[in-house]
Amino acid sequence: MSSTCQQIAILALEKIGVLGAGATPETVDTDRALGSLRSYYQRLINGGAFGRCDDVIPNSSPYYAGEFERVVHDGTVTVILPQTLPYVGADESYGEVCFDVDFGRARPPVDLCLFSEVSTAVSGGYVRDYIWDGRVRKWCEINGLQLTDYAPLSARDEDGLACAIAIRLAATYGQQPTPETTQSAMRFEEALVFQWSENAEFVERGSFW
């Protein structure tokens, strides 16, 4: 089940007893939880949960990005994120998660892969980090998440993600997470790092006679 950032925020607040079940949260609480959610994704990125990126400086526009790239430009380049990529073969880096599309040689981006775009423009520079969430098959931008947006990774384990945010919020509210909340958060992160929840439909088709 996928959730919005607001739903994850409310569930996290409930888990540490700040909000009663079914109660409406104050705006200050949901905003604080949203900030914690954004910073949690950044911590996962900085900690290497989604791999590392290679720096790329495009020499033309538009630039069609690849997986695990950090594209740096001066603000004059249009970057296009891929929805499909060339098949690389079973003996290559990501062959084990490839599949054919209409019997062609194309595949979706690798589940949980990272992409970053950095604009160094003097006016209006920015950094945008994206994660490919294979469960919903789309790129999720982390930096500008709003309460009504889909919460990246929530389709994998809504409760585990909420537990991870609850732990980050607990100290702010002077609360102590329950052992169950702590264990659920740990299992959620372990599943991400070890990719225990790889989608079956992303496995390469078998070779028959």
Side-chain angles (χ1 to χ4, degrees):
M1 177 180 177
S2 60
S3 302
T4 64
C5 293
Q6 184 169 29
Q7 290 171 320
I8 293 297
I10 290 173
L11 186 55
L13 291 168
E14 289 176 348
K15 287 184 177 297
I16 55 174
V18 173
L19 189 66
T24 301
E26 298 289 338
T27 300
V28 64
D29 294 323
T30 53
D31 286 347
R32 183 176 290 122
L34 176 62
S36 183
L37 182 62
R38 289 176 184 154
S39 68
Y40 177 67
Y41 291 128
Q42 289 296 334
R43 185 179 73 79
L44 291 174
I45 290 172
N46 294 336
F50 308 115
R52 59 180 296 177
C53 289
D54 294 323
D55 289 329
V56 176
I57 300 178
N59 55 15
S60 63
S61 181
Y63 175 75
Y64 292 88
E67 301 152 320
F68 304 105
E69 289 185 349
R70 181 184 297 104
V71 176
V72 183
H73 59 82
D74 60 3
T76 63
V77 176
T78 299
V79 177
I80 299 176
L81 292 172
Q83 300 302 311
T84 59
L85 290 161
Y87 181 88
V88 295
D91 60 341
E92 297 292 337
S93 300
Y94 308 119
E96 69 275 9
V97 294
C98 296
F99 74 116
D100 295 334
V101 177
D102 296 330
F103 299 100
R105 307 303 286 173
R107 62 177 178 84
V110 174
D111 193 22
L112 297 179
C113 71
L114 177 65
F115 172 80
S116 182
E117 180 183 359
V118 181
S119 171
T120 60
V122 175
S123 177
Y126 57 81
V127 176
R128 295 172 182 163
D129 295 310
Y130 299 84
I131 301 167
W132 175 265
D133 190 336
R135 287 298 178 90
V136 293
R137 300 194 180 190
K138 69 176 183 179
W139 289 101
C140 301
E141 184 184 350
I142 301 305
N143 313 78
L145 282 174
Q146 301 299 319
L147 287 170
T148 55
D149 293 337
Y150 163 71
L153 312 179
S154 65
R156 299 167 182 274
D157 184 357
E158 176 190 54
D159 187 74
L161 176 58
C163 286
I165 304 309
I167 290 174
R168 295 175 68 83
L169 290 170
T172 301
Y173 289 98
Q175 301 293 326
Q176 182 66 37
T178 65
E180 291 77 12
T181 296
T182 302
Q183 290 171 6
S184 293
M186 290 177 61
R187 286 195 297 268
F188 175 74
E189 290 197 20
E190 287 175 352
L192 287 180
V193 173
F194 295 106
Q195 297 194 19
W196 291 337
S197 57
E198 179 181 305
N199 289 346
E201 64 266 30
F202 285 5
V203 177
E204 181 188 6
R205 287 196 180 110
S207 298
F208 302 96
W209 70 94

